Amino acid sequence: MSRLRMQLSISLDGFVAGPNQTAEDPIGKNGLRLHDWVFGLKAWRRQHGMEGGEDNASTVCVEEATANVGAVLMGRNMFGPVRGSWEASAPWDGWWGETPPYHCPVFVLTHHARAPLVMKGGTTFHFVTGGPEAALAEARRVAGEKDVSIAGGASLARQVLAAGVVDEVELHLAPLLLGSGERLFDGGMTDLHGLTLVRTIAAPGVTHLKFSR
């Protein structure tokens, strides 16, 4: 049965991105440090077409994050820093170069229509203007029996959590404080809507907290 899954790196004070996000610094000031734990892993490097790396206690989390995923959902801010209408002469094509790491259809929430963007490696970005429910419905249709993964960012993550439709969340808790930025649990959220802690893994530079229903 298809499940809706999400995994995010988060600071001790609850931020999934730092302040002052720009095209040059897409995760904001010090935001990249949230992901230091993953960059040297063999499983992550293989997903991004890179060689080498190591295995440690985090490996299973990275491998699970990409297993059985048939479609991905993301907010426009995660796709890129562009605001307003897409620039027809030089449109933004994402942070990931010619071969994004998703390798499946990705549905991007936006207020501005755009033709699908076909990339190498099996990734096609579809731009959905009908809101989160419409994007999720389309992602589920395409994924079929496979799972749908929520890639972020914080605003989309909060919306699907508040709607109570997420089946699984894994938070990668990094041992640092960002002080400000994009907070995950904001806006008075007090309910995990049936999600309970089912696994904790302590690994180098991170603690993985897995919640499921």
Side-chain angles (χ1 to χ4, degrees), residues 42-101:
K42 185 186 299 182
W44 183 87
R45 295 176 65 83
R46 182 172 59 248
Q47 180 186 358
H48 289 76
M50 305 165 66
E51 298 181 352
E54 64 177 8
D55 291 317
N56 61 32
S58 292
T59 296
V60 63
C61 300
V62 175
E63 291 177 341
E64 287 180 356
T66 57
N68 198 46
V69 172
V72 173
L73 198 62
M74 71 169 59
R76 178 164 176 173
N77 190 52
M78 181 169 180
F79 178 75
V82 183
R83 298 295 179 268
S85 298
W86 302 100
E87 178 59 53
S89 60
W92 177 265
D93 290 344
W95 309 104
W96 307 278
E98 295 182 349
T99 309

Side-chain angles (χ1 to χ4, degrees), residues 78-180:
M78 181 169 180
F79 178 75
V82 183
R83 298 295 179 268
S85 298
W86 302 100
E87 178 59 53
S89 60
W92 177 265
D93 290 344
W95 309 104
W96 307 278
E98 295 182 349
T99 309
Y102 300 104
H103 312 298
C104 67
V106 179
F107 295 86
V108 181
L109 276 73
T110 175
H111 294 295
H112 300 275
R114 179 177 173 178
L117 176 62
V118 181
M119 309 293 282
K120 295 180 180 179
T123 299
T124 297
F125 292 102
H126 301 269
F127 301 90
V128 183
T129 58
E133 290 185 3
L136 179 56
E138 185 65 12
R140 287 192 187 278
R141 183 188 67 80
V142 169
E145 292 299 313
K146 291 188 174 182
D147 296 339
V148 175
S149 175
I150 303 290
S155 177
L156 175 59
R158 284 194 298 270
Q159 291 179 69
V160 293
L161 283 170
V165 296
V166 182
D167 298 300
E168 180 180 303
V169 176
E170 184 137 35
L171 299 179
H172 310 297
L173 184 61
L176 76 153
L177 301 172
L178 290 182
S180 62

